[in-house]
Amino acid sequence: MDDGTDDVAGPEQAERALRSAEAAGAGSEVLTRLLVELGDAYRRRFWDLGDIADLDQAVAGYRRALDTDRVDPAARANDLAVVLTDRYDVTGEPGDLSAAMTAAGTALAAAPEGSVAWARYAATSVLCLWDRYDATGSLDDLDAAIGLGTRALAALPREDRAWARICSNVAMLRMDRYERHGAEDDLQEAVGHARLAAAHAYEDDPELGGWYNNLGSALLTRFGARFPDDAMPQPGDCVDLRDLEAAVAAYRKAIEVSPWGVAGRATFLANLGNALSDLGEMRRLGGQPERSRSALREAVDFLAEAVSLTPATAPYRASRLNVLGEAWRIVSEDTGAPGDVAAARDALREACGAGLLVAPEMTVAAAGNWMRWAVRRSAWDEVGEADGYLLRAAEALHRAQSLRRHREAWLVASRGLVQESVYALAVTGRAADAAVRLERGRAVLLSEELGLVRVSSDRLPRPLRRRYAQALGRLDAALRKIG
């Protein structure tokens, strides 16, 4: 697959070449080459203009190429898997992710492990596992993606053009795992891998902007790690801003070097806006109000543009709305303007709803941000509304885990927020409801201790799946019998 840039008229030219070859009775090798070029051209135009119809055409072209290729069908299956993950990132359609995983697995199985081809195909399987982790929160998938990505990286020479891509993806995966488990080595390895990817990428690599973007994210996470449990510095504290300022510079570089238009730009704008929001907050606490307001104005503008460029169905929309809500929240705490408060509340509410089905982890994050802010404003109704989203997302994440330590990681991520909800109910005189809410949180912990958690069984072997379902049926009957 060619990821280079091209004139946006490329798809029409590729279509004409394909029709001419078909009319001339060209053989399968020629048709395969032209179909791949057609898919490449549509995919490039999607990244430039953001029209999902171009992605649909790219998928169709790669599917046909897979059908006609008699020489290297594994490469064609890999092409198809990549573009299906592109489309999944826009639509959130589970069928696209499932089909991408199947195609990626087909390609990977066809290549000798440790070969260059295997490493490149493994990188695509890593993307699929990563998407499924984002969709379900399954830490099994996250661990598998890191393991496979690390093996793929070791199989490639550093001068291979795919090396920077895999290195940068491993960096982001380890950052995700750091955010769940808090292991310092994951965070430091994330920063190290991200630096290596940006330093060793080719200057004409069309994905270079992505590697700078990932470096910015790793640096931003390391800066945030200095404030555990959301413990913000106090006004007048001396805070080392080097990681934060380097993150802002990396995000700006990503936008500067990237050839992509709509689709890539939305990602880079969202991350730059998030970093600027943090920088504005740090400057406010550091006694620099004017510099703070300048950074926050930029942050809100960039984040609003990013959300406007993100399709309503995209799994990443929830994350972008969450950081937009947080930026507006900081602005509102400076201005006190009702319109700024409403903008923050609306963005966080929309983030909670957008993440429930396709990014429950982001619903937990947005609900937590909303609840803590609402408690500070004594907006008790908002605390209850945010808590409703939190419960649904946290329980979905808990059910998605197959390992105890993974379920515990998600419990730790959400249990502290229960106190906010219980406090809000108690303050408003709803003592009975507060007790029920507290017990509901404890019930999840009790089910963990008793081993009653119903894990997702869709990846179990069929005989084991049947026995698991029968056991659950017997458990339900026993629980009904004892009332």
Side-chain angles (χ1 to χ4, degrees):
M1 182 184 296
D2 177 9
D3 285 329
T5 57
D6 198 3
D7 190 278
V8 292
E12 287 72 24
Q13 296 170 355
E15 291 274 14
R16 286 195 296 271
L18 177 62
R19 287 195 297 269
S20 296
E22 289 173 331
S28 63
E29 289 189 30
V30 172
L31 292 178
T32 297
R33 175 178 58 79
L34 292 173
L35 285 164
V36 170
E37 290 175 0
L38 180 66
D40 289 348
Y42 274 117
R43 183 171 182 254
R44 286 194 299 268
R45 193 165 73 179
F46 161 75
W47 279 100
D48 196 35
L49 302 179
D51 186 350
I52 192 174
D54 284 333
L55 267 187
D56 293 339
Q57 293 287 353
V59 169
Y62 292 132
R63 283 193 193 280
R64 289 182 61 194
L66 178 58
D67 290 339
T68 61
D69 197 326
R70 303 292 180 266
V71 177
D72 194 3
R76 305 290 77 77
N78 188 67
D79 288 348
L80 177 60
V82 170
V83 77
L84 284 167
T85 63
D86 287 343
R87 193 165 70 177
Y88 171 77
D89 288 342
V90 175
T91 66
E93 174 55 49
D96 276 343
L97 179 54
S98 178
M101 296 197 77
T102 299
T106 297
L108 190 60
E113 182 163 352
S115 66
V116 169
W118 177 88
R120 292 173 178 168
Y121 301 159
T124 304
S125 287
V126 166
L127 291 178
C128 295
L129 288 164
W130 197 357
D131 277 340
R132 194 165 70 181
Y133 161 71
D134 283 338
T136 67
S138 170
L139 294 168
D140 287 343
D141 284 335
L142 182 57
D143 286 345
I146 291 171
L148 184 58
T150 301
R151 285 156 56 202
L153 194 60
L156 277 183
R158 189 165 291 192
E159 60 270 16
D160 190 285
R161 295 185 73 90
W163 191 89
R165 176 186 304 109
I166 300 173
C167 188
S168 191
N169 286 344
V170 169
M172 294 301 95
L173 288 161
R174 295 202 67 163
M175 190 175 74
D176 281 351
R177 192 165 67 182
Y178 163 76
E179 290 174 343
R180 294 279 63 80
H181 294 302
E184 180 69 17
D185 66 320
D186 273 330
L187 178 57
Q188 297 305 331
E189 286 294 325
V191 174
H193 277 73
R195 285 194 191 280
L196 284 172
H200 289 278
Y202 287 83
E203 289 186 4
D204 63 345
D205 187 338
E207 295 182 273
L208 180 58
W211 316 152
Y212 277 110
N213 173 75
N214 289 351
L215 173 58
S217 296
L219 290 165
L220 185 62
T221 299
R222 190 167 71 177
F223 173 77
R226 302 179 60 193
F227 310 106
D229 302 320
D230 300 306
M232 294 295 291
Q234 298 301 307
D237 285 354
C238 183
V239 178
D240 185 346
L241 299 180
R242 283 178 294 180
D243 273 347
L244 180 54
E245 290 170 341
V248 169
Y251 289 136
R252 291 193 192 278
K253 184 71 172 179
I255 295 172
E256 175 190 330
V257 303
S258 177
W260 306 122
V262 172
R265 181 174 173 81
T267 298
F268 304 155
L269 286 171
N271 290 336
L272 174 57
N274 187 26
L276 284 167
S277 177
D278 286 349
L279 184 60
E281 180 74 337
M282 291 300 107
R283 286 175 173 172
R284 182 180 69 83
L285 293 171
Q288 304 177 62
E290 288 305 316
R291 295 187 72 198
S292 170
R293 293 184 188 111
S294 174
L296 288 170
R297 280 193 295 270
E298 266 199 298
V300 167
D301 288 345
F302 287 144
L303 290 165
E305 184 181 352
V307 169
S308 74
L309 294 174
T310 306
T313 54
Y316 295 123
R317 185 175 178 84
S319 173
R320 292 168 187 174
L321 283 162
N322 179 42
V323 293
L324 175 60
E326 279 292 275
W328 273 120
R329 188 265 304 168
I330 297 170
V331 170
S332 73
E333 290 177 346
D334 179 47
T335 66
D340 293 341
V341 172
R345 181 183 59 240
D346 292 349
L348 291 170
R349 176 185 287 126
E350 190 178 350
C352 288
L356 274 177
L357 293 180
V358 293
E361 177 183 0
M362 289 316 308
T363 294
V364 170
N369 288 335
W370 189 8
M371 288 173 72
R372 286 184 287 266
W373 179 50
V375 167
R376 293 198 298 273
R377 293 181 292 118
S378 300
W380 308 121
D381 288 346
E382 290 181 32
V383 175
E385 185 180 355
D387 185 50
Y389 285 113
L390 172 70
L391 267 171
R392 293 163 65 187
E395 290 176 356
L397 286 165
H398 194 248
R399 288 193 302 271
Q401 312 309 316
S402 60
L403 295 180
R404 178 188 178 92
R405 63 187 176 88
H406 292 167
R407 293 194 294 274
E408 289 172 345
W410 283 119
L411 286 172
V412 168
S414 59
R415 68 185 179 189
L417 295 170
V418 173
Q419 300 168 6
E420 310 283 7
S421 177
V422 171
Y423 179 69
L425 289 166
V427 166
T428 54
R430 298 165 61 187
D433 289 340
V436 169
R437 178 64 183 93
L438 186 61
E439 290 305 314
R440 185 168 180 178
R442 287 176 177 168
V444 175
L445 295 170
L446 179 61
S447 71
E448 175 65 34
E449 290 303 314
L450 296 177
L452 302 181
V453 179
R454 299 175 181 233
V455 301
S456 174
S457 62
D458 59 348
R459 282 170 277 163
L460 294 175
R462 185 169 296 176
L464 188 56
R465 193 184 316 160
R466 185 164 51 248
R467 290 169 57 195
Y468 180 71
Q470 291 169 351
L472 284 180
R474 291 194 296 271
L475 176 63
D476 281 337
L479 291 173
R480 286 195 299 271
K481 189 173 182 178
I482 64 175

